[in-house]
């Protein structure tokens, strides 16, 4: 799966927008102030100076800077200046300031781009909320116009700053029904708190379930079963196993906080409009160790998710929130987590780091239909081509004209196709047995074989052009052909190997069973990867040059020989077109036609023709050799009067 790929807005933003859209309750828990920043055309910055407390927060703007300053947070203290993208023509930018007190998170959206100033730090006991507006700060040329608070207009005029005053409240008591449950195990479990949803008017505020474990010296691991909220069966609650290696060895005591969020309606908003085929399941589990960043655990944490049955046509993958990127743009990544499927209703995630974890489900079928049939066809074709290329190389070496330049070109193509067919036949086995380390080398070798085959197909086109249109000019030395055919493809492969993280094991997902993908050694062509860029700029460029030049040369050659008597025989005409297509590699052009209603037919035709290219090439030379012998017998050994008239025989 390529699920991957990212979702718009943060997990916490989703909570905010979903709650905000529903109305307000007894307290204005969330804060949203928006407006238009009128600025100059020079360097623009976003400045902030946030401190703990609950006093005044000032949102101001001038010719070059938008600023947020004051005391509003429970844990976060942050002060910095962020450079904004230049805008030489526009003098106004829309912006919004969002504040989620329950999670101690503050972020600013400027011109459609999010900037998180305070990351979520878990559920807060006391928080600063009920922000009320103070006096407006005069009128100015540069500043904030069309200001609103929670979509209620404040002023249409341009003011340099706005002030807001907060009030400290107990967030848990105010926004959530709290039920504390003591634990008899004083060594490990020190707190288990159920934060149930509380209804305020028409608003349902989804809070969380959390457990705090204190790891002491001699910690041997711990199994946590999170407390169940109202209406949820205990067997549907995620379970968490903390390994013994989770405790930092230098600390005598350290706390682990496990937080559980459950709200399926809110989480469906995670996906962008163009990602509707992917959704996150309703359960999200966050695990943190106080004042520690935990990565690369030798023994993974285990999180058991229990969910409704997922059809086999839908893939599920354990993912974690990539906190290295802007949390305002949630990126769910699968690296660092292993997915263990324990039935259609149970999935266990083994992860070597701490963050927030969830299950992603791909609702649409995988990208490849009939993968098993295509794999069998390709494997059989590659096996036949591998053996055929061996026979063809032997045949070309034993001919009387073995040292002829045409034979040298044919031999180079046969050797490249032999290597390509052999490596492609073995790629699945190597991927399953050797893993990424073996595929790093094997994938590079397969890529080299493909580029070498394309190069030799182009050499066949150029050599044919030389024979037909430059009869009296000597052909380039065979060493030149070998340098281009075997040397040139090595350059991009060596560069990609030096870059690293390009070759490895990739998964080809079947629409029939997305949970059992076909593994092969190849380039990582996931979105935004170096391998994807290399695929477009190297592979497709080679292929486009080969197919286009092959089609042009095929047209020129056929136009040149169509008046021959032999051409009028249907069998000869067919064999000429078919044989030259094998030489020139024009059948690879079918890859550009894989779309529309005929895509499945094109895909099967592509696999059949190109996996059997080595076999067809051997068959072509066998038929032409037989036709030449029959011609010699019937004409009493007469030879062609010119290379132009008998190009096919010379090429054989």
């Amino acid at each position: 799966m390529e699920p991957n790929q990212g979702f718009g807005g943060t997990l916490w933003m989703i909570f905010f927008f979903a709650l905000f859209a529903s109305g307000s309750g007894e307290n204005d828990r969330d804060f949203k102030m928006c407006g238009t920043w009128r600025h100059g055309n020079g360097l623009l910055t976003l400045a902030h100076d946030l401190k703990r407390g609950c006093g005044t927060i000032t949102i101001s703007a001038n010719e070059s800077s938008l600023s947020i300053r004051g005391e509003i947070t429970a844990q976060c203290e942050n002060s910095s200046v962020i450079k904004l993208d230049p805008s030489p023509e526009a003098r106004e930018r829309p912006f919004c300031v969002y504040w989620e007190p329950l999670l101690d998170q503050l972020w600013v959206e400027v011109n459609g781009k999010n900037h998180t100033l305070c990351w979520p730090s878990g559920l807060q006991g006391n928080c600063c909320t009920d922000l009320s507006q103070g006096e407006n700060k005069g009128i100015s040329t540069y500043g904030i116009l069309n200001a609103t608070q929670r979509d209620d207009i404040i002023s249409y005029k341009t003011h340099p700053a706005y002030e807001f005053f907060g009030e400290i409240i107990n967030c848990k008591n105010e926004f959530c029904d709290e039920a504390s449950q003591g634990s008899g195990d004083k060594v490990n479990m020190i707190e288990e708190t159920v934060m149930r949803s509380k209804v305020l008017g028409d608003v349902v505020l989804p809070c969380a379930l959390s457990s705090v474990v204190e790891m002491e010296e001699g910690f041997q691991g711990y199994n946590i079963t999170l407390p169940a909220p109202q209406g949820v069966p205990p067997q549907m609650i995620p379970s968490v196993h903390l390994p013994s290696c989770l405790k930092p060895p230098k600390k005598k005591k350290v706390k682990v906080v496990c937080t559980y969020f459950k709200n399926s309606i809110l989480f469906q908003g995670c996906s962008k409009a163009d990602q509707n085929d992917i959704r996150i399941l309703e359960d999200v589990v966050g695990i943190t160790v106080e004042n520690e960043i935990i990565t690369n655990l030798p023994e993974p944490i285990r999180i058991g998710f229990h969910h409704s049955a997922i059809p086999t046509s839908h893939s599920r993958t354990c993912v974690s929130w990539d906190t290295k990127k802007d949390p305002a743009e949630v990126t769910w990544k699968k690296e660092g987590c292993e997915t263990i499927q324990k039935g259609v209703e149970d999935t266990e995630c083994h992860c070597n780091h701490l963050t927030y974890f969830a299950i992603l489900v791909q609702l649409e079928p995988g990208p490849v239909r009939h993968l098993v049939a295509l794999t069998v066809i390709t494997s059989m074709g590659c096996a036949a081509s591998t053996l055929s290329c061996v026979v063809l190389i032997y045949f070309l070496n034993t001919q009387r004209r073995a040292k002829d330049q045409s034979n040298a070109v044919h031999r180079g193509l046969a050797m490249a196709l032999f290597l390509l067919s052999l490596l492609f036949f073995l790629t699945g086995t190597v991927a399953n047995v050797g893993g990424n380390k073996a595929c790093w080398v094997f994938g590079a070798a397969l890529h080299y074989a493909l580029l070498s085959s394309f190069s030799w197909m182009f050499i066949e086109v150029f050599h044919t052009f030389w024979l037909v249109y430059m009869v009296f000019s000597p052909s380039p030395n065979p060493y030149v052909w070998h340098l281009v055919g075997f040397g040139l493809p090595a350059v991009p492969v060596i560069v990609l190997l030096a870059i690293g993280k390009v070759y490895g094991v990739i998964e080809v997902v079947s629409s029939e069973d997305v949970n059992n993908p076909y593994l092969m050694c190849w380039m990582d062509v996931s979105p935004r990867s170096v391998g994807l860029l290399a695929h477009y700029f190297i592979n497709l460029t080679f292929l486009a040059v080969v197919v286009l030049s092959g089609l042009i040369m095929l047209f020129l050659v056929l136009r040149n020989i169509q008046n021959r008597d032999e051409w009028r025989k249907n069998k000869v005409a067919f064999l000429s077109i078919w044989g030259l297509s094998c030489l020139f590699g024009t059948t690879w052009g079918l890859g550009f036609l894989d779309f529309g209603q005929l895509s499945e037919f094109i895909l099967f035709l592509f696999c059949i023709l190109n996996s059997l290219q080595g076999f067809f090439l051997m068959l072509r030379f066998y038929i032409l050799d037989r036709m030449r012998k029959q011609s010699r017998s019937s004409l009493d050994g007469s030879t062609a009067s010119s290379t132009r008239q008998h190009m096919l025989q010379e090429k054989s």
Side-chain angles (χ1 to χ4, degrees):
M1 179 189 80
E2 311 252 335
N4 138 48
Q5 300 329 260
F7 295 93
T10 66
L11 183 61
W12 312 112
M13 286 175 65
I14 293 161
F15 285 145
F16 174 82
F17 285 122
L19 298 176
F20 180 76
S22 302
S24 61
E26 297 171 359
N27 293 84
D28 288 337
R29 166 181 151 190
D30 306 315
F31 173 77
K32 174 185 177 183
M33 187 269 183
C34 296
T36 301
W37 172 23
R38 179 171 289 170
H39 54 76
N41 60 356
L43 177 66
L44 302 178
T45 61
L46 172 62
H48 59 281
D49 185 9
L50 300 171
K51 298 179 180 179
R52 298 176 184 177
C54 188
T56 303
I57 179 171
T58 303
I59 302 174
S60 61
N62 55 34
E63 183 179 2
S64 60
S65 178
L66 176 66
S67 302
I68 297 95
R69 305 177 187 276
E71 301 89 23
I72 191 176
T73 64
Q75 301 291 332
C76 173
E77 287 190 342
N78 193 1
S79 178
S80 67
V81 177
I82 302 172
K83 291 184 179 180
L84 301 177
D85 295 333
S87 180
E89 297 181 359
R91 299 296 180 91
E92 295 181 354
R93 295 190 180 197
F95 76 93
C96 285
V97 178
Y98 299 101
W99 165 240
E100 169 50 272
L102 186 61
L103 299 171
D104 203 34
Q105 182 185 18
L106 189 146
W107 69 98
V108 182
E109 180 183 306
V110 182
N111 210 30
K113 185 174 181 180
N114 290 304
H115 304 274
T116 300
L117 309 185
C118 285
W119 290 46
S121 56
L123 298 172
Q124 304 302 314
N126 295 324
C127 58
C128 190
T129 185
D130 269 348
L131 271 69
S132 57
Q133 181 196 350
E135 293 184 4
N136 298 341
K137 300 292 184 180
I139 304 296
S140 64
T141 304
Y142 300 105
I144 302 170
L145 71 152
N146 299 330
T148 63
Q149 181 179 2
R150 299 179 68 88
D151 293 339
D152 294 329
I153 191 70
I154 300 176
S155 175
Y156 291 107
K157 298 180 180 180
T158 303
H159 297 277
Y162 288 88
E163 284 188 347
F164 299 91
F165 302 93
E167 176 186 347
I168 293 180
I169 64 171
N170 188 308
C171 292
K172 293 184 179 180
N173 289 341
E174 187 67 29
F175 297 123
C176 303
D177 289 334
E178 180 176 2
S180 297
Q181 303 173 2
S183 173
D185 191 346
K186 300 298 182 180
V187 177
N188 298 104
M189 178 68 75
I190 63 172
E191 181 183 349
E192 186 176 85
T193 304
V194 184
M195 305 302 295
R196 299 190 178 94
S197 296
K198 183 175 182 179
V199 180
L200 301 178
D202 295 330
V203 185
V204 179
L205 300 177
C207 293
L209 301 96
S210 62
S211 295
V212 181
V213 174
E214 187 174 72
M215 299 183 293
E216 300 179 347
E217 289 185 290
F219 179 72
Q220 298 298 316
Y222 195 78
N223 293 320
I224 300 176
T225 300
L226 295 168
Q230 288 179 324
V232 179
Q235 63 270 20
M236 297 300 293
I237 302 301
S239 59
V240 178
H241 171 74
L242 306 178
S244 58
C245 60
L246 185 60
K247 179 186 175 297
K250 295 182 179 180
K251 292 189 176 182
K252 293 183 177 181
K253 292 183 179 181
V254 65
K255 294 179 182 179
V256 181
V257 180
C258 297
T259 307
Y260 165 44
F261 295 88
K262 187 178 185 71
N263 193 309
S264 60
I265 296 177
L266 298 181
F267 281 119
Q268 304 317 313
C270 283
S271 60
K272 295 180 181 178
D274 59 350
Q275 302 254 353
N276 290 329
D277 59 337
I278 298 176
R279 74 177 179 91
I280 189 172
L281 291 187
E282 56 189 9
D283 296 342
V284 175
V285 175
I287 306 175
T288 58
V289 174
E290 62 176 351
N291 302 320
E292 295 286 342
I293 298 176
I294 305 296
T295 58
N296 300 320
L297 290 170
E299 180 185 350
I301 59 170
R302 301 197 300 268
I303 308 168
F305 289 97
H306 314 287
H307 44 74
S308 56
I310 299 176
T312 56
S313 60
H314 297 168
S315 66
R316 44 183 153 147
T317 307
C318 293
V319 292
S320 63
W321 183 8
D322 188 359
T323 55
K324 293 181 180 179
K325 298 185 178 180
D326 186 351
E329 298 177 1
V330 168
T331 300
W332 292 105
K333 65 174 186 177
K334 63 181 180 180
E335 290 78 14
C337 287
E338 181 184 3
T339 305
I340 309 296
Q341 299 180 15
K342 295 191 171 183
V344 295
E345 297 182 349
D346 296 281
T347 305
E348 189 169 271
C349 298
H350 293 188
C351 303
N352 63 3
H353 59 289
L354 298 187
T355 180
Y356 293 88
F357 304 96
I359 303 291
L360 281 187
V361 176
Q362 182 172 344
L363 303 180
E364 296 296 326
V368 181
R369 299 184 64 183
H370 313 294
L371 180 61
V372 175
L374 292 171
T375 303
V376 172
I377 290 172
T378 304
S379 298
M380 294 177 63
C382 287
S385 288
T386 302
L387 296 176
S388 299
C389 287
V390 173
V391 174
L392 179 58
I393 294 171
Y394 174 79
F395 169 77
L396 294 173
N397 284 329
T398 56
Q399 275 194 320
R400 293 181 179 178
R401 299 178 300 160
K403 296 183 179 181
D404 183 70
Q405 289 194 2
S406 294
N407 266 15
V409 174
H410 301 331
R411 204 162 38 240
L413 177 59
M415 292 171 64
L417 287 177
F418 165 78
L419 184 62
L420 176 63
S421 300
L422 178 63
L423 294 180
F424 203 93
F425 180 76
L426 297 175
T427 182
T429 303
V430 174
N432 282 281
V433 176
N436 270 312
K437 290 184 178 179
C439 276
W440 181 73
V441 176
F442 198 90
L446 181 59
H447 188 205
Y448 169 78
L450 179 67
L451 297 182
S452 180
S453 298
F454 287 161
S455 299
W456 278 106
M457 293 172 199
F458 176 76
I459 292 172
E460 288 280 6
V461 173
F462 186 80
H463 185 62
T464 302
F465 173 82
W466 199 282
L467 289 176
V468 175
Y469 290 96
M470 304 184 70
V471 179
F472 301 106
S473 300
S475 179
N477 194 293
Y479 293 109
V480 176
W481 301 135
H482 284 80
L483 181 63
V484 174
F486 291 125
L488 178 62
V491 176
V493 175
I494 293 174
V495 171
L496 292 176
L497 281 172
I499 294 175
K501 295 184 179 180
V502 175
Y503 303 106
V505 178
I506 68 164
E507 298 179 351
V508 182
V509 181
S510 168
S511 61
E512 287 80 14
D513 187 0
V514 295
N515 296 317
N516 291 294
Y518 173 77
L519 302 182
M520 66 176 294
C521 298
W522 187 235
M523 305 167 64
D524 175 18
V525 290
S526 58
R528 301 179 183 178
S529 65
V530 177
L532 183 62
L533 292 176
H535 174 69
Y536 283 122
F537 287 102
I538 299 176
N539 299 350
L540 294 187
T541 299
F542 269 69
L543 179 59
V545 170
V546 168
V547 173
L548 184 61
S549 61
L551 290 174
I552 293 174
M553 195 62 221
L554 184 62
F555 170 76
L556 294 176
V557 170
L558 296 183
R559 189 182 66 172
N560 188 66
I561 65 174
Q562 63 181 343
N563 294 324
R564 293 173 53 186
D565 292 337
E566 302 95 312
W567 176 254
R568 294 182 175 87
K569 298 178 182 179
N570 292 333
K571 182 176 70 172
V572 175
F574 170 76
L575 290 175
S576 299
I577 298 174
W578 167 68
L580 291 174
S581 297
C582 291
L583 281 179
F584 299 161
T586 53
T587 55
W588 288 85
L590 291 170
F592 294 114
L593 305 178
D594 184 19
F595 60 87
Q597 297 181 351
L598 296 178
S599 61
E600 290 187 16
F601 171 76
I602 294 295
L603 188 58
F604 273 93
L605 194 63
F606 178 88
C607 290
I608 293 172
L609 293 180
N610 293 318
S611 65
L612 289 170
Q613 186 176 1
F615 172 75
F616 290 147
L617 204 61
M618 182 204 69
L619 196 60
R620 172 192 184 270
F621 281 99
Y622 169 76
I623 294 175
L624 289 180
D625 184 65
R626 185 174 177 181
M627 290 173 61
R628 186 195 307 112
K629 291 179 180 178
Q630 291 178 351
S631 176
R632 285 176 179 174
S633 177
S634 60
L635 297 177
D636 194 26
S638 62
T639 58
S641 60
S642 70
T643 303
R644 179 191 297 268
Q645 292 177 337
H646 296 280
M647 181 276 305
L648 288 176
Q649 279 73 16
E650 288 293 321
K651 286 288 293 172
S652 66

